[in-house]
mmCIF file of all heavy atoms in Angstrom:
data_model
loop_
_atom_site.group_PDB
_atom_site.id
_atom_site.type_symbol
_atom_site.label_atom_id
_atom_site.label_comp_id
_atom_site.label_asym_id
_atom_site.label_seq_id
_atom_site.Cartn_x
_atom_site.Cartn_y
_atom_site.Cartn_z
ATOM 1 N N VAL H 8 48.552 -112.383 33.003
ATOM 2 C CA VAL H 8 49.313 -112.817 34.175
ATOM 3 C C VAL H 8 50.672 -113.343 33.717
ATOM 4 O O VAL H 8 50.749 -114.195 32.828
ATOM 5 C CB VAL H 8 48.577 -113.920 34.961
ATOM 6 C CG1 VAL H 8 49.381 -114.303 36.207
ATOM 7 C CG2 VAL H 8 47.178 -113.460 35.353
ATOM 8 N N PRO H 16 54.309 -117.175 31.085
ATOM 9 C CA PRO H 16 52.923 -116.740 31.303
ATOM 10 C C PRO H 16 52.264 -117.575 32.395
ATOM 11 O O PRO H 16 52.596 -118.748 32.579
ATOM 12 C CB PRO H 16 52.249 -117.000 29.954
ATOM 13 C CG PRO H 16 53.355 -117.112 28.967
ATOM 14 C CD PRO H 16 54.528 -117.655 29.725
ATOM 15 N N ILE H 20 45.165 -119.926 35.399
ATOM 16 C CA ILE H 20 44.802 -119.222 36.633
ATOM 17 C C ILE H 20 43.335 -118.796 36.556
ATOM 18 O O ILE H 20 42.937 -118.085 35.631
ATOM 19 C CB ILE H 20 45.707 -118.004 36.866
ATOM 20 C CG1 ILE H 20 47.153 -118.470 37.034
ATOM 21 C CG2 ILE H 20 45.238 -117.202 38.078
ATOM 22 C CD1 ILE H 20 48.160 -117.361 37.179
ATOM 23 N N ILE H 22 40.190 -116.595 37.574
ATOM 24 C CA ILE H 22 40.007 -115.195 37.971
ATOM 25 C C ILE H 22 38.521 -114.937 38.142
ATOM 26 O O ILE H 22 37.738 -115.115 37.202
ATOM 27 C CB ILE H 22 40.565 -114.230 36.907
ATOM 28 C CG1 ILE H 22 42.016 -114.539 36.574
ATOM 29 C CG2 ILE H 22 40.402 -112.773 37.361
ATOM 30 C CD1 ILE H 22 42.514 -113.873 35.294
ATOM 31 N N LEU H 27 31.592 -103.978 42.520
ATOM 32 C CA LEU H 27 31.367 -103.533 43.887
ATOM 33 C C LEU H 27 30.337 -102.419 43.913
ATOM 34 O O LEU H 27 30.337 -101.546 43.060
ATOM 35 C CB LEU H 27 32.675 -103.045 44.507
ATOM 36 C CG LEU H 27 33.849 -104.015 44.386
ATOM 37 C CD1 LEU H 27 35.112 -103.386 44.929
ATOM 38 C CD2 LEU H 27 33.545 -105.313 45.083
ATOM 39 N N SER H 30 29.385 -101.958 50.157
ATOM 40 C CA SER H 30 29.927 -103.170 50.759
ATOM 41 C C SER H 30 29.445 -104.433 50.039
ATOM 42 O O SER H 30 29.851 -105.541 50.376
ATOM 43 C CB SER H 30 29.538 -103.237 52.238
ATOM 44 O OG SER H 30 28.135 -103.297 52.355
ATOM 45 N N GLU H 31 28.610 -104.274 49.042
ATOM 46 C CA GLU H 31 28.072 -105.397 48.283
ATOM 47 C C GLU H 31 29.034 -105.783 47.163
ATOM 48 O O GLU H 31 29.558 -104.933 46.451
ATOM 49 C CB GLU H 31 26.731 -104.974 47.675
ATOM 50 C CG GLU H 31 25.837 -106.093 47.282
ATOM 51 C CD GLU H 31 24.498 -105.566 46.805
ATOM 52 O OE1 GLU H 31 23.843 -104.851 47.587
ATOM 53 O OE2 GLU H 31 24.136 -105.862 45.652
ATOM 54 N N HIS H 34 29.260 -111.078 42.044
ATOM 55 C CA HIS H 34 30.093 -111.927 41.185
ATOM 56 C C HIS H 34 29.522 -111.888 39.767
ATOM 57 O O HIS H 34 28.350 -112.223 39.554
ATOM 58 C CB HIS H 34 30.113 -113.362 41.717
ATOM 59 C CG HIS H 34 30.970 -114.268 40.911
ATOM 60 N ND1 HIS H 34 30.470 -115.028 39.885
ATOM 61 C CD2 HIS H 34 32.290 -114.519 40.968
ATOM 62 C CE1 HIS H 34 31.451 -115.714 39.342
ATOM 63 N NE2 HIS H 34 32.573 -115.424 39.984
ATOM 64 N N CYS H 46 43.242 -114.036 28.671
ATOM 65 C CA CYS H 46 41.932 -114.658 28.490
ATOM 66 C C CYS H 46 41.575 -114.556 27.012
ATOM 67 O O CYS H 46 42.000 -113.630 26.319
ATOM 68 C CB CYS H 46 40.893 -113.984 29.378
ATOM 69 S SG CYS H 46 41.282 -114.231 31.129
ATOM 70 N N ASP H 47 40.805 -115.501 26.529
ATOM 71 C CA ASP H 47 40.502 -115.563 25.098
ATOM 72 C C ASP H 47 39.617 -114.422 24.607
ATOM 73 O O ASP H 47 39.549 -114.183 23.406
ATOM 74 C CB ASP H 47 39.860 -116.908 24.757
ATOM 75 C CG ASP H 47 40.839 -118.066 24.936
ATOM 76 O OD1 ASP H 47 42.056 -117.859 24.753
ATOM 77 O OD2 ASP H 47 40.385 -119.174 25.267
ATOM 78 N N ASP H 54 27.635 -103.432 27.318
ATOM 79 C CA ASP H 54 26.781 -103.014 28.434
ATOM 80 C C ASP H 54 27.238 -103.578 29.774
ATOM 81 O O ASP H 54 26.907 -103.035 30.826
ATOM 82 C CB ASP H 54 25.332 -103.426 28.183
ATOM 83 C CG ASP H 54 24.704 -102.663 27.023
ATOM 84 O OD1 ASP H 54 25.215 -101.571 26.682
ATOM 85 O OD2 ASP H 54 23.716 -103.164 26.454
ATOM 86 N N LEU H 63 39.188 -107.943 40.678
ATOM 87 C CA LEU H 63 39.621 -109.186 40.056
ATOM 88 C C LEU H 63 40.290 -110.005 41.144
ATOM 89 O O LEU H 63 41.190 -109.508 41.829
ATOM 90 C CB LEU H 63 40.615 -108.927 38.921
ATOM 91 C CG LEU H 63 40.108 -108.095 37.741
ATOM 92 C CD1 LEU H 63 41.217 -107.908 36.724
ATOM 93 C CD2 LEU H 63 38.895 -108.742 37.105
ATOM 94 N N PHE H 65 42.494 -113.199 41.644
ATOM 95 C CA PHE H 65 43.351 -114.166 40.972
ATOM 96 C C PHE H 65 43.642 -115.328 41.928
ATOM 97 O O PHE H 65 44.178 -115.113 43.016
ATOM 98 C CB PHE H 65 44.667 -113.505 40.562
ATOM 99 C CG PHE H 65 44.516 -112.409 39.546
ATOM 100 C CD1 PHE H 65 44.189 -111.115 39.942
ATOM 101 C CD2 PHE H 65 44.709 -112.663 38.204
ATOM 102 C CE1 PHE H 65 44.066 -110.094 39.007
ATOM 103 C CE2 PHE H 65 44.589 -111.650 37.263
ATOM 104 C CZ PHE H 65 44.256 -110.360 37.664
ATOM 105 N N ARG H 72 50.503 -124.229 43.275
ATOM 106 C CA ARG H 72 50.495 -125.652 43.632
ATOM 107 C C ARG H 72 50.718 -126.514 42.384
ATOM 108 O O ARG H 72 51.461 -127.503 42.422
ATOM 109 C CB ARG H 72 49.184 -126.040 44.308
ATOM 110 C CG ARG H 72 49.109 -125.662 45.750
ATOM 111 C CD ARG H 72 47.765 -126.083 46.388
ATOM 112 N NE ARG H 72 47.550 -125.342 47.604
ATOM 113 C CZ ARG H 72 46.954 -124.152 47.690
ATOM 114 N NH1 ARG H 72 46.480 -123.560 46.610
ATOM 115 N NH2 ARG H 72 46.815 -123.537 48.847
ATOM 116 N N THR H 73 50.056 -126.157 41.279
ATOM 117 C CA THR H 73 50.205 -126.952 40.051
ATOM 118 C C THR H 73 51.611 -126.845 39.487
ATOM 119 O O THR H 73 52.057 -127.745 38.783
ATOM 120 C CB THR H 73 49.197 -126.531 38.950
ATOM 121 O OG1 THR H 73 49.491 -125.206 38.519
ATOM 122 C CG2 THR H 73 47.768 -126.635 39.438
ATOM 123 N N ASP H 77 57.308 -125.042 46.102
ATOM 124 C CA ASP H 77 57.345 -125.474 47.501
ATOM 125 C C ASP H 77 57.015 -124.288 48.396
ATOM 126 O O ASP H 77 57.686 -123.274 48.360
ATOM 127 C CB ASP H 77 58.729 -126.019 47.829
ATOM 128 C CG ASP H 77 58.778 -126.663 49.201
ATOM 129 O OD1 ASP H 77 57.730 -127.150 49.661
ATOM 130 O OD2 ASP H 77 59.865 -126.665 49.794
ATOM 131 N N ARG H 82 49.543 -120.790 52.356
ATOM 132 C CA ARG H 82 50.476 -120.048 51.504
ATOM 133 C C ARG H 82 50.460 -118.571 51.842
ATOM 134 O O ARG H 82 49.444 -118.034 52.269
ATOM 135 C CB ARG H 82 50.108 -120.230 50.033
ATOM 136 C CG ARG H 82 50.364 -121.632 49.579
ATOM 137 C CD ARG H 82 50.176 -121.783 48.101
ATOM 138 N NE ARG H 82 50.568 -123.129 47.728
ATOM 139 C CZ ARG H 82 51.777 -123.450 47.298
ATOM 140 N NH1 ARG H 82 52.698 -122.537 47.150
ATOM 141 N NH2 ARG H 82 52.067 -124.699 46.991
ATOM 142 N N ASP H 85 47.504 -116.549 48.299
ATOM 143 C CA ASP H 85 46.546 -117.533 47.818
ATOM 144 C C ASP H 85 45.648 -116.872 46.785
ATOM 145 O O ASP H 85 45.919 -116.915 45.601
ATOM 146 C CB ASP H 85 45.749 -118.123 48.977
ATOM 147 C CG ASP H 85 44.908 -119.318 48.553
ATOM 148 O OD1 ASP H 85 45.189 -119.906 47.485
ATOM 149 O OD2 ASP H 85 43.969 -119.667 49.275
ATOM 150 N N ILE H 87 44.557 -113.393 45.228
ATOM 151 C CA ILE H 87 45.042 -112.010 45.169
ATOM 152 C C ILE H 87 43.924 -111.123 44.621
ATOM 153 O O ILE H 87 43.582 -111.217 43.442
ATOM 154 C CB ILE H 87 46.282 -111.897 44.263
ATOM 155 C CG1 ILE H 87 47.412 -112.763 44.819
ATOM 156 C CG2 ILE H 87 46.709 -110.438 44.118
ATOM 157 C CD1 ILE H 87 48.612 -112.863 43.902
ATOM 158 N N ARG H 90 41.544 -104.427 43.404
ATOM 159 C CA ARG H 90 40.358 -103.563 43.361
ATOM 160 C C ARG H 90 40.730 -102.292 42.607
ATOM 161 O O ARG H 90 41.758 -101.683 42.876
ATOM 162 C CB ARG H 90 39.926 -103.237 44.785
ATOM 163 C CG ARG H 90 38.574 -102.582 44.864
ATOM 164 C CD ARG H 90 38.137 -102.468 46.295
ATOM 165 N NE ARG H 90 37.696 -103.788 46.787
ATOM 166 C CZ ARG H 90 37.055 -103.965 47.927
ATOM 167 N NH1 ARG H 90 36.795 -102.960 48.714
ATOM 168 N NH2 ARG H 90 36.677 -105.173 48.285
ATOM 169 N N GLY H 92 38.993 -98.802 39.999
ATOM 170 C CA GLY H 92 37.839 -98.038 39.556
ATOM 171 C C GLY H 92 37.865 -97.776 38.062
ATOM 172 O O GLY H 92 38.926 -97.597 37.468
ATOM 173 N N LEU H 106 53.394 -111.993 38.991
ATOM 174 C CA LEU H 106 53.228 -112.887 40.128
ATOM 175 C C LEU H 106 54.497 -113.654 40.457
ATOM 176 O O LEU H 106 55.205 -114.106 39.558
ATOM 177 C CB LEU H 106 52.110 -113.891 39.778
ATOM 178 C CG LEU H 106 51.884 -115.077 40.686
ATOM 179 C CD1 LEU H 106 51.394 -114.629 42.051
ATOM 180 C CD2 LEU H 106 50.894 -116.029 40.036
ATOM 181 N N SER H 107 54.775 -113.800 41.743
ATOM 182 C CA SER H 107 55.772 -114.740 42.254
ATOM 183 C C SER H 107 55.198 -115.315 43.553
ATOM 184 O O SER H 107 54.196 -114.814 44.054
ATOM 185 C CB SER H 107 57.120 -114.054 42.481
ATOM 186 O OG SER H 107 57.080 -113.239 43.626
ATOM 187 N N GLY H 110 55.259 -112.352 46.263
ATOM 188 C CA GLY H 110 54.989 -110.955 45.925
ATOM 189 C C GLY H 110 54.270 -110.840 44.596
ATOM 190 O O GLY H 110 54.262 -111.785 43.788
ATOM 191 N N TYR H 111 53.687 -109.682 44.376
ATOM 192 C CA TYR H 111 53.018 -109.416 43.100
ATOM 193 C C TYR H 111 52.977 -107.914 42.881
ATOM 194 O O TYR H 111 53.161 -107.128 43.811
ATOM 195 C CB TYR H 111 51.590 -109.998 43.072
ATOM 196 C CG TYR H 111 50.616 -109.363 44.028
ATOM 197 C CD1 TYR H 111 49.813 -108.293 43.627
ATOM 198 C CD2 TYR H 111 50.491 -109.827 45.322
ATOM 199 C CE1 TYR H 111 48.911 -107.716 44.515
ATOM 200 C CE2 TYR H 111 49.593 -109.255 46.199
ATOM 201 C CZ TYR H 111 48.805 -108.204 45.800
ATOM 202 O OH TYR H 111 47.913 -107.626 46.665
ATOM 203 N N THR H 113 50.969 -104.841 40.064
ATOM 204 C CA THR H 113 50.004 -104.587 39.005
ATOM 205 C C THR H 113 50.133 -103.125 38.600
ATOM 206 O O THR H 113 50.825 -102.331 39.255
ATOM 207 C CB THR H 113 48.571 -104.908 39.474
ATOM 208 O OG1 THR H 113 47.703 -104.852 38.334
ATOM 209 C CG2 THR H 113 48.086 -103.963 40.554
ATOM 210 N N TYR H 114 49.473 -102.760 37.539
ATOM 211 C CA TYR H 114 49.467 -101.385 37.037
ATOM 212 C C TYR H 114 48.345 -101.293 36.007
ATOM 213 O O TYR H 114 47.773 -102.305 35.630
ATOM 214 C CB TYR H 114 50.823 -101.022 36.412
ATOM 215 C CG TYR H 114 51.266 -101.978 35.323
ATOM 216 C CD1 TYR H 114 50.988 -101.723 33.980
ATOM 217 C CD2 TYR H 114 51.937 -103.157 35.628
ATOM 218 C CE1 TYR H 114 51.362 -102.602 32.988
ATOM 219 C CE2 TYR H 114 52.321 -104.041 34.647
ATOM 220 C CZ TYR H 114 52.041 -103.764 33.327
ATOM 221 O OH TYR H 114 52.414 -104.644 32.336
#
Side-chain angles (χ1 to χ4, degrees):
V8 182
I20 298 176
I22 306 165
L27 309 175
S30 62
E31 200 175 302
H34 182 267
C46 296
D47 293 330
D54 292 339
L63 298 179
F65 296 84
R72 281 180 199 88
T73 66
D77 188 27
R82 291 187 175 266
D85 190 18
I87 299 172
R90 191 172 284 192
L106 170 66
S107 74
Y111 66 92
T113 189
Y114 55 94

